[in-house]
Amino acid sequence: MTVIDNRASRYTEVAVAITCPCCGAEFDATLFQFGHRVRCQCGVEIEYPGALQRAGHVLTQGDVEVTAHEDRCIGCLLGSACGDILGAAVEGWSASDIRQSFIELRDFLDTDRGFGRYTDDTQMTLALAASLVEHGRVDAEPVSAKYAEFYEPRRGYGGAAHRVMRLLQAGGDYRGTGRLQFPEGSFGNGGAMRIAPVGLVYRHADDKMLARAVEDALLCTHVHPEAIDGALVQAKAVAIAATTAPESFDPERVVHVVSRTCRTEIMQAKLRILADGLRHADDDLFVIAGVGNGIRASQAVAAALWAFLRRWNTPEECVIRAVNFGGDTDTIGAMAGALVGALHGTAWIPARWHDNIENGPHGRDEIVALARRLAGLNLQGD
C-alpha cells in the first residue's frame, strides 16, 4: 500500500449542479462523485462526464487551506457522524424490516432526539478526540472525565453506560467503573464505536503502542477482551485507511494486517469470514449472517469492516449499505463512515447529509475544527 503525502491543497466551497440534457433538471454534483449515475424523472440516465470535482459542502466558506491529512481527519469524524445519524432512526431493526419500510434507507430521518441529531456514538467519539487534543495522547483519567463532561442522557446511551457516566460525574474511580455492571466487563461495541480518533492519532504507531492507547481510551467503560479487541481492530483499520492512497487500497491486505493485530479468537473468527467472503465474492446477506450485526464488539466491527472492504471506493454507498445491514445500525454506520472518511477525506459526503448534521454545541462546525486540531497529532513512540 502506498502511503499518502500531506501536501496542502486548496478547496473552495462551491455549489455545482449537473443538468439533465433532456429536460434541464438539476442535480447536486455530489451524487456523481464516484461514478454514480442518476435517473432523471424524465427517464434519461445521467452519468457525470467531467473530471472529479469536490462537493464543496464540507469546509467552511471561502478558500480554506487544508492538508490532505486534515481532510481525512475531517472526513473521518464527519463520516462517523453521518453514519450514526443515518442509522439512528432504524436502530435495532432487521434488514428485512428496513427493506419493507424504505426499500433502501438513504436519507436522515427524524427521531425523538430531533432531525440530524447524533447519538452517544458520536458524542463519545468527540469527547475522546477533545481529550486527545487537550492532552496530546490518550490518558485514561482525563479521557474518562471528558466522557462524563460531554455526557447528555438523551443521546441514547445504554443502561450500563448511563450508570457509568453518572458515577464518573459524581467523582467515581474510572479504574473500577468498567466492571460496574458486568464483573468481567462488557463485550459490547461501545468502545469500538468511538475509537476512530485513536486510529488517526496513532496511525504510525506500532501495534503494542496502539493497543495500550485503545485500552486506556476504553478503561472506564469496557475492559472485556472482546470489547478491547474489537476497538483495536477498528482503530487499526482507521490507521490503515488514513495512511493509504485510495488508488492503492487493497481490501485483502487490510484483513491480513488487522488479523495480525487482534488478539481474541472470536475476533479472529469474524475476520476469517470476511477474508473468505472477499475471496469468494460472497454477498452481504451471507457474510452478515456469518459475522452478525448486533451489539457485541466482534459482530458490529466485522459488519462495518465488511461494508468498508466491499464498497471502499463508493463511500456514500458504503455507509448506506452498512446501515441497511440492520441490527445495531447507528454504530455499524458510524464505524463504516469513519473508515471511508479516513480513506477519502470529505469530498464524498453528500450535501443532504452534511447540511443536516446538527450544528449547535459540539455540532458540525465544531467537529470540523476539532478534526483539524486532531490532525496535528502523530504519536509513534520513541
Side-chain angles (χ1 to χ4, degrees), residues 188-204:
N189 57 37
M193 75 185 187
R194 67 183 190 248
I195 205 66
V198 172
L200 294 173
V201 171
Y202 290 80
R203 62 193 180 277
H204 293 129

Side-chain angles (χ1 to χ4, degrees), residues 146-158:
K146 191 61 68 175
Y147 294 142
E149 177 188 327
F150 274 53
Y151 168 65
E152 297 175 75
R154 61 189 174 83
R155 293 291 181 179
Y157 290 78

Side-chain angles (χ1 to χ4, degrees), residues 16 29-30 32-36 48-55 246 344 347-348:
V16 180
T30 57
F32 302 84
Q33 285 297 309
F34 288 85
H36 296 173
Y48 181 45
L52 259 177
Q53 296 184 29
R54 293 190 174 272
H344 291 288
W348 64 275

Side-chain angles (χ1 to χ4, degrees), residues 112-131:
D112 55 6
R113 282 178 293 276
F115 185 75
R117 296 185 71 81
Y118 56 69
T119 76
D120 57 318
D121 296 53
T122 299
Q123 186 162 76
M124 295 195 78
T125 299
L126 299 180
L128 176 54
S131 182

Side-chain angles (χ1 to χ4, degrees), residues 9-80:
S9 299
R10 184 171 294 278
Y11 306 148
T12 305
E13 180 147 339
V14 292
V16 180
I18 305 302
T19 303
C20 173
C22 181
C23 70
E26 291 188 341
F27 298 88
D28 189 321
T30 57
L31 295 173
F32 302 84
Q33 285 297 309
F34 288 85
H36 296 173
R37 297 184 179 188
V38 172
R39 183 174 293 279
C40 183
Q41 288 184 345
C42 73
V44 173
E45 190 174 71
I46 307 163
E47 184 172 4
Y48 181 45
L52 259 177
Q53 296 184 29
R54 293 190 174 272
H57 296 281
V58 170
L59 300 177
T60 55
Q61 295 188 7
D63 289 349
V64 179
E65 189 84 7
V66 177
T67 68
H69 181 63
E70 282 179 316
D71 187 50
R72 288 179 183 234
C73 289
I74 297 168
C76 182
L77 295 195
L78 287 181
S80 179

Side-chain angles (χ1 to χ4, degrees), residues 99-118:
R99 277 196 305 273
Q100 289 176 12
S101 296
F102 308 105
I103 301 178
E104 185 176 60
L105 179 61
R106 303 184 65 88
D107 300 302
F108 294 170
L109 300 175
D110 204 1
T111 68
D112 55 6
R113 282 178 293 276
F115 185 75
R117 296 185 71 81
Y118 56 69

